[in-house]
Amino acid sequence: MAHRVKLVNSSLTLRLAGLNILTVLPVKKTPLYKCRDTAAAKPQSTLATEVPLPAGVAGVAFREASIIRIFRAWARTTSLLVLAPRGAVNMVWNNNITGGQNPAFSQEIPSRLRDNLIETFIQNRDKCCFDLHVGRFIASLARPPTDPRAPHPALVQSILLMGCYFSRSPALADYEVRFLAQSRQELSVSLAAADKLHDYVRASNLVAFFYFSKGMYAEAYQQINHSATMVVSCRLHQIASSVWRPASHPEDPEQFLLHPVDNVDLGERIHTFWQTVTLDKVIAMVVGHPSHLPNGPHVDPAYLIKTPWPRLIQEYESGNVSDTENNSVSHLFDTRLARFIRPETLCGLRTQGLCIAHFAFHLSHTSAMPQDATLLDNAICTFINILPGLRNGGESGEIAPTPGLSPVNHNLVLIRTLPYLAHLILFQHGADPIARQRVGVATQGIVATISELSDGDYAELFLGLGVSVLFDRFMEEAPDKDLQHLWFIACEILTNIFHHSNGPVRDQIHRDLNTVLRALRKLSLVYPLLGFQVQELEQKLAAGPQA
């Protein structure tokens, strides 16, 4: 019996060659989910269906969200899911995915294009918090698929997907759709066979980042959940040391992930785990839902993060790592345990800042105990004191700036924003002198960071401040109020404080607000959708506390 999907508000369907399956490709140009209302999402198109998938669903009309859930559940058992990104614009489907006139759907892609996309991704990998041993990865691409050192196709396809994304070329839009579909299919294959699960996590993270960058927050949140579940299952969250040692006992062939083969493999796993944490924290704060990898002083021991902060891949390769610096999340909140042998890498500082900011976010949404707030306050103050200057260079910010010559280190813009944002979140409702002092210092810290930026710096802050925006070619999308930016969150908090202040304090907050708003306006020239948020915030500022 043919599997059919009848579309009410869209006429686009895609038939998989050789299979009687139709996958739905919605073409509405407005986001189908509001990220803070994921559980009760209200899609903007309705589908009637005759899809005989799970028992009991044939002949029943479903909302689009129900259809998608059915397809996803079905894909987990069949590995046949193909879903195009709903946020994409100008995607025209006239051919089967495996052939037709569209070159993006041919069996093979040109080798030159493939190489260029991989090179583009490698050059931009830090923008999605990803790292690996480049030489080893390039060499592995030439290995036959049966070689255990060959990358899983899911990782290769997701890297090609991100290569398209970072290229920002409209000519690659069709390839982007193809690589997303194939990434998802290969992820299902990897999961079903429990094959190369480290590559599975890395590929899943890249797909989550892709969704997040396109404003598809429901999909990003769900995808990073898959990654987080797997890193816990593989115990990547409890790697004991940065130093590789041979397995101390025979390995169980049934375990999810075998012992790392060498120090580079171990280092890559540590980076993969912290990439998962980074994306999980950012997506959770944007969506307004709980983190899949909770951190803090009261975490269940089974989920307690013990993996050391990441070092540089070349440090793992050279053996320049030590058991004496296995600091992790617990050291953020109990500084008596921390041992700072040398400066943390910028990647390590970014993950620490996000853990601190997310814990503040968590406390602001729960009935926090006073001792937790005190613990976090101490952690924030300690973290601020170890941060390098905004113009410091080097992989750890260890190179002091040359006066008048050193540019802003764009990675440090995010890192230096995070602890100040955490203080704003933590003390925004406080009325005691300590709370007011913390808010004042945090505001000045953010303003000082912004004041260092030139107009040319804003183009380099690509997702660097937790902003999930759409590029210019997606401007036909309606603005989503839930596009969040760390500076924007700070502005919202300061606006509320402004409306409940008076005298010189009110005047100072007003000046600081204007500084941050000017920065957001400049950033909106790079990411135009931010302009809608700025206008909304300006209206709220002018309207008063009841707005």
Side-chain angles (χ1 to χ4, degrees):
M1 179 180 180
H3 301 277
R4 298 183 300 278
V5 176
K6 185 187 301 179
L7 289 87
V8 175
N9 292 340
S10 171
S11 59
L12 299 186
T13 60
L14 174 67
R15 181 178 297 277
L16 296 181
L19 297 171
N20 252 342
I21 300 170
L22 293 177
T23 56
V24 182
L25 301 175
V27 293
K28 298 291 288 183
K29 292 185 179 180
T30 49
L32 297 177
Y33 294 96
K34 294 295 183 181
C35 63
R36 295 189 189 278
D37 191 25
T38 308
K42 297 179 179 179
Q44 299 172 357
S45 64
T46 304
L47 303 182
T49 179
E50 299 174 14
V51 184
L53 303 178
V57 305
V60 181
F62 288 85
R63 297 288 291 173
E64 184 175 281
S66 301
I67 289 291
I68 293 172
R69 283 195 295 271
I70 292 169
F71 274 126
R72 286 176 176 158
W74 188 39
R76 284 194 288 269
T77 59
T78 62
S79 303
L80 293 174
L81 178 61
V82 179
L83 263 178
R86 293 199 302 274
V89 177
N90 298 327
M91 293 180 177
V92 180
W93 297 79
N94 294 317
N95 305 285
N96 291 337
I97 197 166
T98 56
Q101 299 176 355
N102 195 326
F105 303 136
S106 61
Q107 293 290 344
E108 299 292 337
I109 65 170
S111 59
R112 183 175 179 181
L113 172 61
R114 178 177 179 270
D115 294 344
N116 286 342
L117 292 177
I118 292 174
E119 181 180 358
T120 299
F121 169 78
I122 289 174
Q123 292 172 350
N124 292 274
R125 65 189 186 277
D126 184 60
K127 294 178 180 177
C128 47
C129 315
F130 186 99
D131 207 0
L132 79 175
H133 190 286
V134 175
R136 180 175 292 191
F137 173 72
I138 295 298
S140 71
L141 294 173
R143 300 185 184 280
T146 55
D147 191 321
R149 293 169 293 179
H152 194 279
L155 178 59
V156 176
Q157 294 299 322
S158 62
I159 285 176
L160 294 173
L161 169 68
M162 294 309 302
C164 288
Y165 176 76
F166 287 126
S167 297
R168 304 193 190 185
S169 171
L172 295 175
D174 287 337
Y175 283 104
E176 195 173 82
V177 174
R178 169 189 171 167
F179 294 139
L180 175 61
Q182 293 183 338
S183 296
R184 292 180 59 87
Q185 182 173 349
E186 293 296 345
L187 282 169
S188 295
V189 172
S190 172
L191 186 60
D195 181 28
K196 299 180 179 177
L197 294 179
H198 180 207
D199 285 353
Y200 171 90
V201 175
R202 294 196 281 190
S204 178
N205 286 347
L206 293 179
V207 171
F209 181 88
F210 175 82
Y211 283 144
F212 181 71
S213 301
K214 292 296 183 74
M216 301 164 64
Y217 299 131
E219 287 80 0
Y221 186 74
Q222 182 185 45
Q223 191 67 50
I224 201 64
N225 177 38
H226 298 330
S227 301
T229 300
M230 187 55 66
V231 299
V232 172
S233 298
C234 294
R235 299 190 63 79
L236 293 180
H237 66 307
Q238 294 184 344
I239 296 175
S241 172
S242 298
V243 179
W244 179 83
R245 295 177 176 85
S248 58
H249 50 79
E251 294 189 280
D252 180 359
E254 298 298 322
Q255 67 188 61
F256 283 117
L257 204 58
L258 297 179
H259 192 76
V261 297
D262 58 16
N263 48 1
V264 173
D265 189 14
L266 174 64
E268 289 187 339
R269 294 185 187 192
I270 291 173
H271 271 271
T272 297
F273 171 72
W274 286 114
Q275 182 204 24
T276 308
V277 171
T278 299
L279 294 178
D280 174 66
K281 301 303 181 191
V282 171
I283 293 171
M285 286 192 287
V286 169
V287 175
H289 289 344
S291 165
H292 300 105
L293 293 168
N295 63 272
H298 308 302
V299 176
D300 185 318
Y303 297 94
L304 181 65
I305 295 174
K306 299 180 181 178
T307 300
W309 304 120
R311 301 298 307 179
L312 303 177
I313 291 293
Q314 53 265 38
E315 290 178 326
Y316 296 107
E317 183 178 27
S318 65
N320 188 20
V321 289
S322 168
D323 284 327
T324 61
E325 51 184 0
N326 288 329
N327 294 340
S328 192
V329 172
S330 60
H331 300 87
L332 286 176
F333 304 104
D334 189 348
T335 54
R336 297 170 300 176
L337 303 175
R339 289 167 290 182
F340 297 103
I341 309 302
R342 54 181 167 171
E344 296 284 0
T345 64
L346 296 184
C347 179
L349 291 175
R350 179 176 57 199
T351 56
Q352 291 175 38
L354 280 166
C355 286
I356 287 173
H358 187 271
F359 189 47
F361 176 82
H362 169 73
L363 292 183
S364 71
H365 288 74
T366 59
S367 301
M369 301 295 290
Q371 56 266 34
D372 287 341
T374 301
L375 201 66
L376 179 58
D377 180 34
N378 292 335
I380 295 170
C381 293
T382 301
F383 184 69
I384 290 173
N385 290 333
I386 68 170
L387 292 182
L390 192 61
R391 294 181 182 272
N392 282 31
E395 297 288 353
S396 300
E398 74 281 9
I399 302 175
T402 302
L405 297 176
S406 298
V408 166
N409 188 328
H410 299 112
N411 287 321
L412 282 166
V413 176
L414 167 64
I415 292 168
R416 294 190 66 85
T417 296
L418 287 167
Y420 295 127
L421 177 66
H423 259 157
L424 281 179
I425 294 172
L426 185 62
F427 290 105
Q428 59 182 307
H429 301 302
D432 59 279
I434 293 180
R436 290 197 296 268
Q437 188 267 344
R438 292 287 192 264
V439 167
V441 170
T443 304
Q444 290 303 306
I446 293 175
V447 169
T449 299
I450 290 172
S451 300
E452 291 287 322
L453 302 179
S454 64
D455 290 349
D457 290 321
Y458 288 89
E460 300 300 322
L461 302 181
F462 177 82
L463 290 180
L465 290 169
V467 59
S468 181
V469 295
L470 306 181
F471 290 111
D472 293 359
R473 71 175 183 267
F474 297 114
M475 275 303 293
E476 295 180 43
E477 298 255 352
D480 188 339
K481 295 179 182 179
D482 289 314
L483 294 172
Q484 288 292 331
H485 188 292
L486 298 188
W487 288 347
F488 184 79
I489 295 172
C491 262
E492 286 193 309
I493 293 173
L494 289 175
T495 299
N496 291 331
I497 295 173
F498 170 78
H499 287 311
H500 294 88
S501 303
N502 51 58
V505 173
R506 182 184 177 92
D507 294 338
Q508 181 61 50
I509 292 176
H510 191 263
R511 288 192 292 270
D512 294 338
L513 265 171
N514 285 333
T515 299
V516 183
L517 282 170
R518 281 195 299 271
L520 285 172
R521 292 190 200 102
K522 291 180 180 179
L523 200 60
S524 70
L525 298 177
V526 183
Y527 304 117
L529 287 179
L530 280 177
F532 294 99
Q533 290 180 287
V534 174
Q535 292 176 11
E536 190 175 281
L537 195 56
E538 288 173 333
Q539 293 171 1
K540 181 178 179 181
L541 182 62
Q546 301 302 318

